[in-house]
Amino acid sequence: MPNVKPGSVFEYKYRLQSDFYYLLNDWEIQEEIPVVYSLYEIEIPEYFHFTQNASGYEQVDRETASGNQSFSVLLEKAQTERVHASTTKLKYTTRHTPALKEVNHIWCLDDFKTKVSFELHGVKFPYSVYQPFANNWENIDKTLLEDESWGNFLKMGNPFRAEMKDLDMSGMTVPEKTAALFELVKSKVEWNGKYALP
């Protein structure tokens, strides 16, 4: 942008195609610069049930319409079948959205962006039963415990069990016990000099 200057306007349009039908990108409206006009259009076939979530503080206008769509589905043995489906057309519009500025004591501005996100709730393809993906808390707990990265940490016992036996906390108040445990953990942990988020 060789001649860019304050007040310059950038206009762009793109179409996203992906094989990951279950993963719709968030539509983030706010940026570090003001956005004069933003339009997001999406057409969802009847087989996919998405939960729509809006966050942020700016005005987002939404229009809903019905439509039809035809597409090919890959079957067994590399055969395809032409499928016709009714669709839900969604159109989101914003105008004159102010820039999202850095604010003291807020380390993650993305949490405050005005945006629309979609979560796949379930699917129901022709000749099949409804398959839900959104779980209740019991199923989420079970999934996390079975996950290799999360589950191992959640199942991990107290690594300082032996050291805690040597601590005499009888007669201590709760704040004193907390302080003693804090000192024990502090003596066992060494900082590697790096800042990071898990």
Side-chain angles (χ1 to χ4, degrees):
M1 303 291 178
N3 198 29
V4 68
K5 54 184 177 288
S8 294
V9 175
F10 298 90
E11 184 175 340
Y12 59 92
K13 178 179 180 179
Y14 67 92
R15 180 186 179 98
L16 181 66
Q17 286 185 282
S18 170
D19 293 331
F20 301 107
Y21 62 85
Y22 54 86
L23 184 63
L24 298 180
N25 289 3
D26 293 348
W27 176 50
E28 295 186 347
I29 300 144
Q30 277 185 301
E31 302 290 345
E32 294 175 358
I33 59 173
V35 178
V36 176
Y37 176 77
S38 186
L39 168 67
Y40 180 63
E41 291 181 303
I42 185 167
E43 189 171 2
I44 303 174
E46 61 184 296
Y47 311 129
F48 305 99
H49 300 262
F50 284 93
T51 301
Q52 303 161 43
N53 303 304
S55 60
Y57 302 97
E58 300 303 320
Q59 172 75 29
V60 178
D61 296 322
R62 178 184 140 174
E63 296 176 28
T64 305
S66 298
N68 292 291
Q69 199 175 65
S70 297
F71 47 90
S72 296
V73 176
L74 183 63
L75 304 174
E76 295 178 7
K77 299 178 182 176
Q79 294 179 337
T80 59
E81 179 181 337
R82 197 73 180 156
V83 176
H84 304 280
S86 61
T87 61
T88 301
K89 294 181 176 182
L90 299 171
K91 181 178 178 181
Y92 295 92
T93 313
T94 62
R95 290 176 172 81
H96 304 292
T97 305
L100 194 62
K101 300 290 187 183
E102 290 283 346
V103 179
N104 289 337
H105 311 296
I106 295 180
W107 63 271
C108 185
L109 274 179
D110 284 352
D111 291 344
F112 297 89
K113 275 185 177 179
T114 298
K115 62 184 175 184
V116 176
S117 59
F118 296 86
E119 180 185 4
L120 185 60
H121 196 272
V123 294
K124 186 181 186 311
F125 295 109
Y127 317 113
S128 66
V129 296
Y130 181 76
Q131 182 182 358
F133 292 117
N135 289 311
N136 56 36
W137 286 112
E138 289 77 15
N139 288 341
I140 291 172
D141 183 46
K142 182 174 181 290
T143 301
L144 287 175
L145 286 171
E146 291 172 354
D147 183 78
E148 286 184 13
S149 56
W150 278 92
N152 291 337
F153 286 111
L154 294 172
K155 292 173 189 171
M156 184 174 69
N158 181 0
F160 306 130
R161 188 175 285 117
E163 290 88 342
M164 284 188 64
K165 287 182 180 176
D166 296 335
L167 284 177
D168 182 15
M169 293 193 288
S170 57
M172 287 187 182
T173 64
V174 171
E176 289 170 340
K177 289 179 182 178
T178 304
L181 290 172
F182 175 73
E183 289 300 323
L184 171 64
V185 172
K186 193 166 74 169
S187 69
K188 298 292 182 182
V189 176
E190 185 176 331
W191 182 44
N192 62 4
K194 296 180 181 177
Y195 294 96
L197 292 172

